[in-house]
Structure formats: C-alpha cells, structure tokens
Amino acid sequence: MRVSSQGVTVVALLADPDAPTEIAQRMARILPTRLADKSGQGRKFDVEVVSEPFTAGTEDPPTLMRRIMDRGRAENWDIVVALTDLPLHAHGHKLVVDLSHEHGLALLSLPPLGGLRLQRRARRAVEEAVLSLAGLRVARAEGPPQSQPFLGPFVSRLAPVHPGQVGEEETADLRYVVSGPRGYLRVLVGMVRANRPWRLVPGLSKALAAALATGAVATVNSTIWSLAESLSAPRLVIATVGSVALMIGWLIVDAQLWHRSTEVSLEARQKARLYNASTVMTVGIGVLVCYGGLIVINLVWALFIINGQVFASVTRTPLHAAEYWTLSWFVASVATVGGALGSGLESDEAIRAAAYSKREQERRHMLQDDHDD
C-alpha cells in the first residue's frame, strides 16, 4: 500500500451491496471531517465508496482479507475498510473486525454491532479502524514500530467485543470477536436488522390483498360473530399464535428460505442456525406488522358496517367496544390464514431479502455476471 503525498490519506470503503453500501454511503459524507478532527496533525482524508460483492462464494476471513488486499493493490488507496452484512466466524467465534496494519486493511462484519443505532456504531467502528491503521503507519514512518496495536475505545464502546486469536499465516495482525450468549444474541439481532424486515410488508401485496378480502367477508358473517363472542382470551391468543405461525411457515417453505448446510462441521451448523433464526425472526416481524394492520383495518370496517341491533339479535350480546375489539382480533386471525394462501401468488423476489442464503446466491450471480462482462 502506498502512502499518499501532501498529507492526504485515501480511504476506500469496500461494501457489499444492499445495506452495507447504504451505510457506507451515508457515513462517507461526514467521515473525512471526523477523521481529520480526531487524527490531528493536519492530516486530511479522502473517502471513496465502492460497492461490490466481495464476499461472494466465501465467508472465510483470511480469504476475504486476501481479496481485499488484492483489490487495494489494484487501486490508488492507502487504507481499505471492507463492510459486509454476513456473520463471519474465526476460530469458533463470531468476527467483528480483522485488521492488517502492515497492509492498511480492515474487514468489518456489521451484525455483531447489533440492531440499534447501527449507522452510528458502524461509523465509530470504521473511524477507530482507520485511525488505528493510519496511526500505526505514521508511527512506523516517524519512529520505531509499535509492538501492539491498540483499539481500546473500539472495545469499550462495543462490548462484549474482545480480542481474538489470529493464525500465524493470516494477513490480519489484530482481530476482535464476540462470544457467549450475549454475543450470539447481538449477532442475531444485527442480522435481523440487516434483513430490514419492514421491506417485507410491501412485498406481500398479494397476501395482504387476500387477507383483507377474507377479513372483509368474515366481518359481516354472523357465524364469525358467534364464534368471536364464544371464544375466551386464551383461545384468541392461541388463534393468533397459530395463524401467525402458519403464515411464517408457509412463507419460508414456499419461498425456500430455509438454509440447509451441505457441511457437517460445527461452524457450518452454527451458521445454519444463525441464518434460519434470523430468517424466522425477520419474516415473523413482517407478519406481525401485517397482523396488527389487519386488526386496525378490520376494526374500522366493523365500526362502519355492523348494525348493533342485528349483532345483538344474533349473539344475544350488546355491541360495545369490547365486542368490536374481540371481533376484529378474531377476524385478523382468520384473515391471516387467508393471507397465507394468497402468499403463494407472490414471486420469490418479494421475500428473498429475508434470507441471507438467498442474498448470497444473488451476490454470486452478480460476481459471475461481472466476470462474464
């Protein structure tokens, strides 16, 4: 890696497509100023964002670091920070960041940063990585090399991050990982955040249309009125859980989102569990949002269409607020089952973003298309 002249350090943010690229583009607007302020010494930084599927075909950190090194050598960059939304593993732990001070490289995995304030945490992580790499390079140019790089602020801000083992033959010379139940939970929440479950709702337009049609008909059905009034709160909860679980299961099966590992290693099984857990949680959040919307729409429809005297003559119960709520709740469960049937009309693209394995396949296709061109 070359050292820029005129005190300008060229930093490249090499980002996987989708969420990593969006995060990199947002932070690139303010990163040069923040890096210059924190580094002092009159240094200037020029930040470039490059979006490409550099993780396609592998999730092995040493291999990815070699790819990043080769990519950096081919360009006019001093420091390369690569961002991915894939959960990477190293020596049985979940990788947060790999650093190579010799080559000016960093590999940052976003899921271990968690699901809250991701943009801010990612920016801080990138800042600490760049300043560590740039600082060590300056120290080597101006005096004796430092014996041990230090990223104390990075660790304290992102606990439970801690230093990890680095192999002798690896490009990286410093690694931070997360481990234990807290680390697993943080990675899982970060994966769900990277899946952006809110994008699943508009992608289920046909399922929502089927659910709304089912709900509209069920709301004016006298048999449904009688059933709703006869059900206790525990049974309504069971109906909710059953209908939501049916919808989640059908979406995952129909779109083939379940990840099956072809390897038998412990790390491969852990990866499969993470992928599937994040898929279930992502689809579950999307379905629950739809379910909540159905309750509201059914309630509005019931307020408009149901005649209190007719309802009372059928159910022998006056139509009050509690009856409106119970009916809307039960109809939402019935409509969700109808929506599950309608979800079979959706294209795979509508919900494939909810699965890491599907995005990985897409990135491989993108990389193959680039090579073909």
Side-chain angles (χ1 to χ4, degrees):
M1 301 290 289
R2 73 178 187 87
V3 178
S4 298
S5 60
Q6 299 178 349
V8 178
T9 301
V10 180
V11 179
L13 300 180
L14 182 64
D16 265 334
D18 300 321
T21 296
E22 295 176 8
I23 290 173
Q25 289 173 340
R26 284 195 293 266
M27 74 170 65
R29 300 168 189 160
I30 60 174
L31 203 55
T33 302
R34 290 182 61 88
L35 289 172
D37 292 341
K38 288 189 174 185
S39 64
Q41 305 173 3
R43 300 192 65 174
K44 297 181 180 179
F45 292 84
D46 183 18
V47 178
E48 304 175 9
V49 177
V50 179
S51 178
E52 62 181 49
F54 71 93
T55 58
T58 184
E59 296 177 19
D60 178 52
T63 302
L64 293 176
M65 288 293 283
R66 288 192 293 270
R67 283 186 181 180
I68 299 167
M69 181 172 61
D70 293 341
R71 187 73 173 86
R73 286 174 174 173
E75 302 291 341
N76 199 28
W77 301 332
D78 297 324
I79 294 173
V80 184
V81 180
L83 290 81
T84 180
D85 56 0
L86 293 178
L88 304 177
H89 294 77
H91 301 287
H93 298 291
K94 297 162 187 66
L95 177 72
V96 179
V97 63
D98 262 357
L99 297 165
S100 173
H101 291 81
E102 179 181 357
H103 301 96
L105 309 174
L107 170 62
L108 177 65
S109 176
L110 297 176
L113 302 184
L116 300 176
R117 302 190 300 275
L118 178 59
Q119 182 69 42
R120 181 181 179 185
R121 287 178 172 176
R123 190 197 70 225
R124 286 182 173 180
V126 170
E127 288 174 0
E128 296 293 345
V130 171
L131 293 174
S132 175
L133 297 172
L136 189 60
R137 292 164 66 82
V138 170
R140 286 180 173 174
E142 298 177 352
Q146 297 179 9
S147 59
Q148 176 64 38
F150 183 64
L151 276 181
F154 176 75
V155 176
S156 62
R157 288 171 181 167
L158 300 176
V161 179
H162 58 86
Q165 177 185 353
V166 181
E168 295 182 358
E169 303 299 324
E170 294 188 40
T171 304
D173 52 36
L174 184 62
R175 169 174 292 153
Y176 286 92
V177 299
V178 294
S179 59
R182 186 181 174 191
Y184 180 91
L185 180 60
R186 189 161 196 164
V187 171
L188 181 58
V189 173
M191 292 175 68
V192 174
R193 169 64 175 78
N195 281 338
R196 292 175 289 186
W198 55 87
R199 299 196 308 176
L200 186 63
V201 176
L204 294 174
S205 57
K206 294 183 177 65
L208 285 172
L212 289 172
T214 303
V217 174
T219 301
V220 297
N221 187 289
S222 60
T223 303
I224 296 294
W225 297 352
S226 300
L227 283 174
E229 285 303 308
S230 66
L231 292 177
S232 61
R235 288 190 175 186
L236 287 170
V237 171
I238 292 174
T240 298
V241 173
S243 60
V244 169
L246 177 63
M247 183 71 156
I248 294 172
W250 178 252
L251 287 172
I252 292 175
V253 172
D254 185 60
Q256 300 179 348
L257 299 181
W258 197 257
H259 179 75
R260 292 180 175 86
S261 176
T262 57
E263 303 177 15
V264 296
S265 64
L266 176 61
E267 187 170 296
R269 292 197 301 270
Q270 290 177 343
K271 168 185 160 183
R273 285 196 295 267
L274 265 177
Y275 276 18
N276 291 328
S278 68
T279 296
V280 171
M281 290 182 63
T282 302
V283 175
I285 291 172
V287 171
L288 286 173
V289 170
C290 292
Y291 188 90
L294 286 173
I295 291 179
V296 174
I297 294 173
N298 291 334
L299 180 60
V300 173
W301 175 239
L303 289 170
F304 173 76
I305 201 68
I306 295 179
N307 181 279
Q309 292 181 347
V310 176
F311 183 91
S313 66
V314 172
T315 63
R316 302 291 191 271
T317 304
L319 184 58
H320 298 306
E323 282 68 39
Y324 276 116
W325 166 253
T326 301
L327 178 62
S328 302
W329 184 4
F330 180 60
V331 168
S333 299
V334 175
T336 299
V337 175
L341 300 177
S343 67
L345 302 174
E346 303 287 355
S347 64
D348 286 344
E349 290 76 11
I351 55 176
R352 69 170 55 250
Y356 270 82
S357 56
K358 293 295 182 182
R359 292 213 299 277
E360 172 65 8
Q361 291 174 13
E362 291 175 353
R363 288 171 185 175
R364 292 188 186 188
H365 293 325
M366 291 172 60
L367 192 61
Q368 184 63 44
D369 293 341
D370 291 341
H371 290 334
D372 292 341
D373 294 340

